[in-house]
Amino acid sequence: MESRLNYYGNPFAGKVLKHLVSASKVLMDSTLPHNIRHLVEVRASQVNGCGFCTDMHTKEAIHSGETSVRLNLIAAWREATVFTAAERAALELTEQGTRIADGAGGVTDEAWANAAKHFDEEQLVALMSLIAVINAYNRINIINQQPAGGYVVGQFS
């Protein structure tokens, strides 16, 4: 499989990506726990079917100490016993915030209230923003048919 174009080598795309990367760096410096960030990035990428981002974020999560058991269970988090209440709240918000076009009704008040029990306002802003940013990356990679499997940890650092 080949990508439709060399998006990551395109000068105009570089201008666009500069702003997404900048937003990503701000989110990395937020008080949202790193393990939550990894779970959100992987789950949104799975929901969207973005192989490139799923590859990237699972490898980055492993590099940061995440276990293969937890990573393998992200797609089935509702039935898994390996996630904390805060992680489950973040995964629920991620799914509802990602599936807004599926006719799922958007983010429910219950999902929001549950997340608000576990995260302060800055963390909630970071969580919402992270969901938005990863969805943007997913869409770019899906539209471009960016191949998955060859990501190397730190490749874009």
Side-chain angles (χ1 to χ4, degrees):
M1 173 187 241
E2 290 186 28
S3 58
R4 290 183 164 138
L5 54 83
N6 183 5
Y7 189 88
Y8 293 97
N10 181 284
F12 185 74
K15 292 177 184 180
V16 173
L17 287 171
K18 178 176 84 173
H19 297 285
L20 282 175
V21 168
S22 178
S24 296
K25 286 183 180 180
V26 170
L27 293 169
M28 287 175 65
D29 294 336
S30 76
T31 59
L32 186 67
H34 293 307
N35 69 310
I36 299 279
R37 264 199 355 255
H38 291 304
L39 297 176
V40 166
E41 290 166 336
V42 171
R43 186 62 190 133
S45 299
Q46 290 172 334
V47 168
N48 286 323
C50 182
F52 184 80
C53 288
T54 301
D55 179 38
M56 176 194 312
H57 294 297
T58 55
K59 287 175 179 174
E60 291 289 346
I62 289 168
H63 181 74
S64 294
E66 189 58 78
T67 69
S68 61
V69 170
R70 285 169 45 89
L71 287 172
N72 289 331
L73 288 172
I74 291 173
W77 65 267
R78 284 177 182 80
E79 293 80 28
T81 60
V82 298
F83 300 108
T84 67
E87 291 168 338
R88 296 170 71 75
L91 288 165
E92 178 71 19
L93 196 66
T94 300
E95 285 189 7
Q96 289 187 14
T98 298
R99 292 189 163 149
I100 55 176
D102 292 349
V107 176
T108 64
D109 291 338
E110 293 81 10
W112 179 258
N114 191 30
K117 283 192 256 179
H118 301 284
F119 303 102
D120 64 28
E121 191 168 300
E122 178 183 318
Q123 291 171 327
L124 287 167
V125 168
L127 188 54
M128 287 190 304
S129 302
L130 177 61
I131 293 165
V133 169
I134 191 60
N135 273 277
Y137 280 118
N138 290 165
R139 280 150 176 77
I140 288 168
N141 288 317
I142 291 166
I143 292 166
N144 195 41
Q145 292 184 339
Q146 195 68 36
Y151 179 79
V152 177
V153 172
Q155 181 174 325
F156 295 120
S157 297

